[in-house]
Coordinates of all heavy atoms in Angstrom, one line a residue:
M13 N 103.0 96.0 113.3 CA 104.2 96.1 112.5 C 103.9 96.9 111.3 O 102.8 96.8 110.7 CB 104.7 94.8 112.2 CG 106.0 94.8 111.4 SD 106.6 93.2 110.9 CE 106.2 92.2 112.4
Y16 N 107.5 99.6 105.1 CA 107.7 100.7 104.2 C 108.1 100.1 102.9 O 109.2 99.6 102.7 CB 108.8 101.6 104.8 CG 109.1 102.8 104.1 CD1 108.1 103.8 103.9 CD2 110.4 103.1 103.8 CE1 108.5 105.0 103.3 CE2 110.8 104.3 103.2 CZ 109.8 105.3 102.9 OH 110.1 106.5 102.3
S25 N 118.7 101.1 80.7 CA 120.0 101.7 80.4 C 120.9 101.8 81.7 O 122.1 101.9 81.6 CB 119.9 103.0 79.7 OG 119.4 104.0 80.6
H27 N 120.0 99.7 84.6 CA 119.5 98.6 85.4 C 120.6 97.9 86.2 O 120.6 97.8 87.4 CB 118.8 97.6 84.5 CG 118.3 96.3 85.2 ND1 119.0 95.1 85.2 CD2 117.3 96.2 86.1 CE1 118.4 94.3 85.9 NE2 117.4 94.8 86.5
V32 N 123.6 97.1 91.6 CA 124.8 97.2 92.4 C 124.6 98.3 93.5 O 124.9 98.1 94.7 CB 126.0 97.5 91.5 CG1 127.2 97.8 92.4 CG2 126.3 96.3 90.6
W33 N 124.1 99.4 93.1 CA 123.9 100.5 94.0 C 122.9 100.2 95.1 O 123.1 100.5 96.3 CB 123.4 101.8 93.2 CG 123.2 103.0 94.1 CD1 124.1 103.8 94.6 CD2 121.9 103.5 94.6 NE1 123.5 104.8 95.4 CE2 122.2 104.6 95.4 CE3 120.6 103.0 94.4 CZ2 121.1 105.3 96.0 CZ3 119.6 103.7 95.0 CH2 119.9 104.9 95.8
M34 N 121.8 99.5 94.7 CA 120.7 99.1 95.7 C 121.3 98.2 96.8 O 120.9 98.3 97.9 CB 119.5 98.5 95.0 CG 118.6 99.5 94.4 SD 118.0 100.7 95.5 CE 117.0 99.7 96.7
P39 N 121.6 98.4 102.8 CA 122.2 98.3 104.1 C 122.4 99.7 104.8 O 122.4 99.8 106.0 CB 123.6 97.7 103.8 CG 123.4 96.9 102.6 CD 122.4 97.7 101.8
Q40 N 122.4 100.8 104.0 CA 122.5 102.1 104.6 C 121.1 102.4 105.2 O 121.1 103.0 106.3 CB 122.7 103.2 103.5 CG 124.1 103.1 102.9 CD 124.3 104.1 101.8 OE1 123.4 104.5 101.1 NE2 125.5 104.6 101.6
K54 N 111.9 91.5 92.7 CA 111.6 92.0 91.3 C 110.1 91.7 91.1 O 109.6 90.6 91.4 CB 112.5 91.2 90.4 CG 112.3 91.7 88.9 CD 113.3 91.0 88.0 CE 113.0 91.3 86.6 NZ 113.4 92.6 86.2
E59 N 107.4 94.9 81.3 CA 107.1 96.3 80.9 C 107.3 96.4 79.4 O 108.3 96.0 78.8 CB 108.1 97.2 81.7 CG 108.0 97.1 83.2 CD 106.7 97.7 83.8 OE1 105.8 98.2 83.0 OE2 106.5 97.5 85.0
D61 N 108.2 99.0 77.7 CA 109.3 99.8 77.3 C 110.6 99.1 77.7 O 111.7 99.8 77.5 CB 109.2 101.2 78.0 CG 109.3 101.1 79.5 OD1 109.4 100.0 80.1 OD2 109.2 102.2 80.1
S63 N 111.7 98.4 80.6 CA 112.2 98.7 82.0 C 111.9 97.6 82.9 O 111.3 96.6 82.6 CB 111.6 100.0 82.5 OG 110.2 99.8 82.6
T65 N 110.8 96.6 87.1 CA 110.2 97.1 88.3 C 110.6 96.2 89.5 O 110.6 95.0 89.4 CB 108.7 97.2 88.1 OG1 108.4 98.0 87.0 CG2 108.0 97.8 89.4
D83 N 111.6 111.5 109.3 CA 111.9 112.8 109.8 C 113.5 113.1 109.7 O 113.9 114.2 109.5 CB 111.5 113.0 111.2 CG 110.0 113.0 111.4 OD1 109.3 113.3 110.4 OD2 109.5 112.8 112.5
A88 N 117.8 112.7 102.9 CA 119.2 112.6 102.4 C 119.4 111.3 101.6 O 120.0 111.3 100.6 CB 120.1 112.6 103.6
W97 N 120.4 108.8 89.8 CA 119.6 108.2 88.7 C 118.7 109.2 88.0 O 118.2 108.8 87.0 CB 118.9 107.0 89.3 CG 119.8 106.1 90.1 CD1 119.8 105.9 91.4 CD2 120.8 105.3 89.5 NE1 120.8 105.0 91.7 CE2 121.4 104.6 90.6 CE3 121.3 105.1 88.2 CZ2 122.5 103.7 90.4 CZ3 122.3 104.2 88.0 CH2 122.9 103.5 89.1
K100 N 115.9 108.2 85.4 CA 116.1 106.9 84.9 C 115.4 105.9 85.9 O 115.2 104.7 85.6 CB 117.5 106.5 84.7 CG 118.2 107.3 83.7 CD 117.7 107.0 82.3 CE 118.5 107.8 81.3 NZ 118.0 107.6 79.9
T115 N 101.7 81.4 108.2 CA 102.8 80.6 107.7 C 102.3 79.2 107.6 O 101.6 78.6 108.4 CB 104.0 80.6 108.7 OG1 104.4 81.9 108.9 CG2 105.1 79.8 108.2
E121 N 107.4 64.6 103.5 CA 106.9 63.4 102.9 C 107.5 62.2 103.6 O 108.7 62.1 103.9 CB 107.4 63.3 101.4 CG 106.7 64.4 100.6 CD 107.1 64.3 99.1 OE1 107.3 63.2 98.6 OE2 107.2 65.4 98.5

Side-chain angles (χ1 to χ4, degrees):
M13 180 180 323
Y16 184 55
S25 67
H27 177 258
V32 170
W33 180 80
M34 280 305 295
Q40 290 177 333
K54 182 173 176 74
E59 301 289 355
D61 63 0
S63 63
T65 303
D83 292 344
W97 308 110
K100 298 293 185 182
T115 303
E121 294 182 32

